[in-house]
Amino acid sequence: MNNFNFYNPTRIAFGEGKIAELDKLVPKNAKVLVLFGGESARRTGTLGEVTQALGDRQVTEFGGIEPNPSFETLTKAVAQVREQNIDFLLAVGGGSVIDGTKFVAAAAVFEGDEWDILLKGGSNIKSALPFGSVLTLPATGSEMNKGAVVTRRSLKAKLPFHSDLVFPQFSILDPTKTYTLPLPQVGNGVVDAFVHVVEQYLTYPAQSPVQDRFAEGLLLTLSEIGEQAIAEPENYQVRASLMWTATLALNGLIGSGVPQDWATHMLGHELTALHNLDHAQTLAIVLPSMLRERKASKLDKLVQYGERVWGIREGSTEEKAEAAIAKTQDFFESLGVKTRLGDYGLGEEHIEPLIKSLESHGMTALGEHGNVTPDVCRRVLQASL
């Protein structure tokens, strides 16, 4: 196991009815900006519950944060924060809204061009407004981590940033708030959480049995409840398990002291930026081919993954590894998330622009060994046609 520092200050309030605790969690004298996505948050009554729980505090709203939140929209929220002297932010939604709120929290007090936050990956963030979240879509884990991804549509660039200063102070996780989600979003959420775990687990043996078992437990849980979460939208225990698993998948715990990959995510970001695919769709396209392309360097962990998560016991190491990849791809398909570029109307002619975009963003030495080059990514995309 490698040396590591683990820090996570986010308070979690989990369970039905927990929105009422906002009155205790948000400072009494706060001037609050509630950020959200579409009107579903209002239509389902969640915004009303939030407003009621905030009581007599001064509350204003900013809606319209997109899936894959855009820099262009978020800078409008930054302007509103400054104009109204907002001192506390509250994200109500899924990972995109929370990611966007992290950017607003940092950008609102940033001196200089806010785009520099993304160009420098958050390393230049010196302060940020305090904020919390009310999670409505389990997927990204943004509710309990210090990372976010923002897209600048005018440049077709989707870039991540990280900072200890953008951990949510708290996150409220009420599984009943997921009951009305469109089923494709539920499938996407399962895939997103699953690949988050894989990126931190499917690398090479690092003598880290605790992290391995944590990761395998999360993957097993998702494999067992994924289809059920879609088939039984109001099964509280299933939705609770999904919500907590997605949070644990990317709160820093399972990645502490182990090598991490993230090549699938970086290539996936380019697919979203250029073709506006859902984040989980890009992961489902890229991951199977990425694992096949890099099977030799990941062989030991692929076999372990196949045996422990999918119960694969028969065959050679090569056969077990291939079976594990096939099981993964089949699982994504079973959730209604397609795994081929062609499923989304993309073909050979779209590959070179993706590679050029990857290169322009400096993503030329990816993966746990830093050897996932543009040529490797090109082969991965060609195998995903």
Side-chain angles (χ1 to χ4, degrees), residues 65-142:
I65 296 176
E66 312 93 335
N68 304 304
S70 75
F71 176 82
E72 290 84 353
T73 296
L74 298 176
T75 52
K76 295 177 183 177
V78 170
Q80 184 172 334
V81 168
R82 291 171 176 168
E83 290 167 4
Q84 299 178 353
N85 295 314
I86 299 295
D87 56 22
F88 195 94
L89 307 178
L90 183 63
V92 178
S96 292
V97 174
I98 302 172
D99 277 13
T101 300
K102 290 177 180 179
F103 178 79
V104 174
V109 293
F110 187 75
E111 296 182 3
D113 185 348
E114 295 94 343
W115 181 239
D116 285 342
I117 293 173
L118 292 156
L119 291 178
K120 296 185 179 179
S123 63
N124 52 355
I125 295 174
K126 305 301 182 186
S127 62
L129 292 178
F131 72 98
S133 81
V134 176
L135 182 67
T136 61
L137 172 57
T140 71
S142 190

Side-chain angles (χ1 to χ4, degrees), residues 144-322:
M144 200 180 179
N145 67 39
K146 63 178 183 179
V149 184
V150 172
T151 299
R152 189 161 187 173
R153 298 189 185 281
S154 62
L155 300 179
K156 294 188 180 296
K158 182 175 180 179
L159 300 178
F161 73 94
H162 300 82
S163 172
D164 282 352
L165 296 170
V166 296
F167 275 105
Q169 289 193 342
F170 65 82
S171 287
I172 294 173
L173 279 60
D174 180 345
T176 67
K177 298 305 168 190
T178 73
Y179 287 177
T180 57
L181 287 172
L183 295 183
Q185 289 189 16
V186 178
N188 279 353
V190 176
V191 170
D192 199 0
F194 196 95
V195 181
H196 284 162
V197 180
V198 166
E199 295 273 37
Q200 300 165 87
Y201 165 74
L202 259 181
T203 56
Y204 55 86
Q207 291 73 54
S208 51
V210 177
Q211 290 92 325
D212 279 3
R213 290 297 191 183
F214 277 148
E216 289 156 2
L218 297 176
L219 294 171
L220 270 168
T221 300
L222 291 169
S223 71
E224 291 168 353
I225 68 170
E227 292 183 62
Q228 195 175 6
I230 295 171
E232 302 173 25
E234 297 191 13
N235 185 322
Y236 180 87
Q237 296 302 334
V238 169
R239 288 298 177 93
S241 293
L242 173 56
M243 184 169 261
W244 189 224
T245 301
T247 299
L248 292 173
L250 202 58
N251 73 346
L253 181 63
I254 65 170
S256 296
V258 299
Q260 299 183 31
D261 188 343
W262 300 107
T264 292
H265 268 71
M266 295 305 102
L267 185 51
H269 287 172
E270 302 301 335
L271 276 164
T272 293
L274 268 64
H275 300 290
N276 203 32
L277 298 185
D278 294 345
H279 177 56
Q281 292 173 336
T282 72
L283 302 180
I285 291 167
V286 173
L287 182 66
S289 296
M290 183 70 76
L291 293 178
R292 289 188 175 100
E293 172 68 26
R294 300 163 62 200
K295 191 188 304 179
S297 66
K298 293 179 178 287
L299 189 61
D300 290 340
K301 287 302 285 283
L302 275 168
V303 171
Q304 178 180 313
Y305 164 65
E307 291 175 346
R308 295 184 180 181
V309 175
W310 298 112
I312 298 166
R313 303 294 179 189
E314 303 296 327
S316 65
T317 55
E318 174 77 19
E319 289 168 341
K320 288 179 180 178
E322 179 54 39

